[in-house]
Amino acid sequence: MKKRYLYNITAAILCMSLLTGCANTQGTPVTGEGKEEEIVSLGLAPEFNYEIPQSIPDIMVDQLGYAADGKKIAVFRGEILPDTYDLVDAATEEVVYTGTIVQKGYNEATQENISTGDFTDYAVTGTYYLQAEMMGQSYPFVIVDKPYAGIFDAALKQYFYSRCGLTLSTELAGESAHNACHTKTAGLMEDAAAQIDVLGGWHIDENGKRDVVQGCRAVSNLLLAYELYGEVFSDEVGIPESGNNIPDVMDEVKYEVDWLLKMQDSASGAVYSSITVIDNAASTYQLYIDSVTMDATIHFAATMAKFSYLYQNYDLSFATQCLKAADRAYRYAGKYMDSVEPEDYFYASVELYRATGTFGYRKAAQDYLNSVEEPDMNDDSVFWGCATYLSTKQKVDIGLCNKVIAILLRDVEEISYASKNSKYLAQGNKAQNNNSELLGNTARLALVNHIITNHEYTVVLENYLHYFLGRNAQSICYIDGVGSRNYKMIDEKTGIMKQVDLNAELILLMSAIEAEMN
């Protein structure tokens, strides 16, 4: 926060005028009897208004902390730096380690000179900060065995806090506790008289909106994280379903899936796009169901098919219901192919093929892969579809699998190389507004890391997490409840956990790191 200091220097100017021989015209004249004669001011006394910016440390660290047995790197900013830095125990104020500052050069992305300090050799748990001559101190951080366990569960619990239509108890939700919201039925936007039960789902913003496509995107990444690194997900996050012998991530996803089923038109199989909340003075609020879109319909088809495949071991009957709903949405979208993105249709085809083994789905998926010279892994639907095509136990084209793997390996090698050569060890830009792009990079790294189990990729993934936790040019921690300089102090909109789709990618990133630590 910036502070404003107001300095009124009228008295100083008055003294200066006395010294320069102007007392008879600008000072306070004295009469012959020794009485002061009042002078009327012209209102010209100057005011100086200074804005003092908040000082940001030039030593950037992960403001949460570092794993005791992991890599520990800090970033130092400045053209002229000392040769060494100290690691200081925050409790005793004693220097416990002295390291060398290594110059890395000019960072083009943020337009500054960057150096690093590696204190990996120090592994004693505790709370610390770094200091160096002419640079001051870093923000404090911890060194512990598992620094990310708390935020891993906190990220997953964000979906519980976002649940619509459910009373959140103080016991489970703390300060986020509230009574059930938006429990009314909703009217169709084109026919408000047709009231439909749409209770459930996740809010995507502070206005209580619920959106099918954004919900499906979050579910797709959460399911991918569970599929790749299921062993790190517990049944003890602290949601109403905890302790039911189903990983809480699957319970949380099911809460959204229950709502998604309500968004499908029972007659046609089409899917409505979202729920809008409109304030109404007479009735507090009114809910409206927004129109059917092909975007919502095809994303629904893909996501419900993926969920049905992974949930069948917990509840076969419900999984089958979801699979049938996915097929109906897919068939409806197939009637309007001009309005369906081929990448989204590919994703839905692959998921339905894995879940059913039906040749028609397989043909549609392989037709897409054969039609493009190089599938674009930056497109989420292509990425998710390719991940499932590689993992399915159904019959596949080995040539297409090799093609997909080759592209994935090349892409992650480029990401890994660029990240290692970035002075912050992550490809953040000067404005630090490309977190979505960075999380997309980590999703591909997490997938390939699972396929080939490359420790080097895990290190790169952890460097991205260090970036999100404050080791960046603005020393901002983009994760809730962590850091001396949290994003909430600067811009509420830049947080990761508050965005349902980005938060799911964060969980995928952390699940890969947690799996390595376990």
Side-chain angles (χ1 to χ4, degrees), residues 261-275:
L261 286 171
K262 296 178 180 181
M263 295 298 286
Q264 184 174 40
D265 178 58
S266 58
S268 65
V271 179
Y272 298 105
S273 60
S274 56
I275 303 294

Side-chain angles (χ1 to χ4, degrees), residues 158-173:
Q158 286 296 322
Y159 294 101
F160 170 62
Y161 299 144
S162 298
R163 288 188 186 186
C164 185
L166 180 74
T167 296
L168 304 188
S169 68
T170 303
E171 179 185 3
L172 294 179

Side-chain angles (χ1 to χ4, degrees), residues 106-112 422-424 426-431:
Y106 188 72
N107 189 39
E108 196 65 45
T110 56
Q111 299 176 15
E112 57 193 357
S422 169
K423 304 302 184 291
Y424 283 94
Q427 297 166 275
N429 60 21
K430 185 175 183 179

Side-chain angles (χ1 to χ4, degrees), residues 179-197:
N179 292 326
C181 59
H182 305 135
T183 56
K184 297 178 180 180
T185 56
L188 294 173
M189 194 61 79
E190 56 268 22
D191 181 12
Q195 295 291 304
I196 300 174
D197 168 28

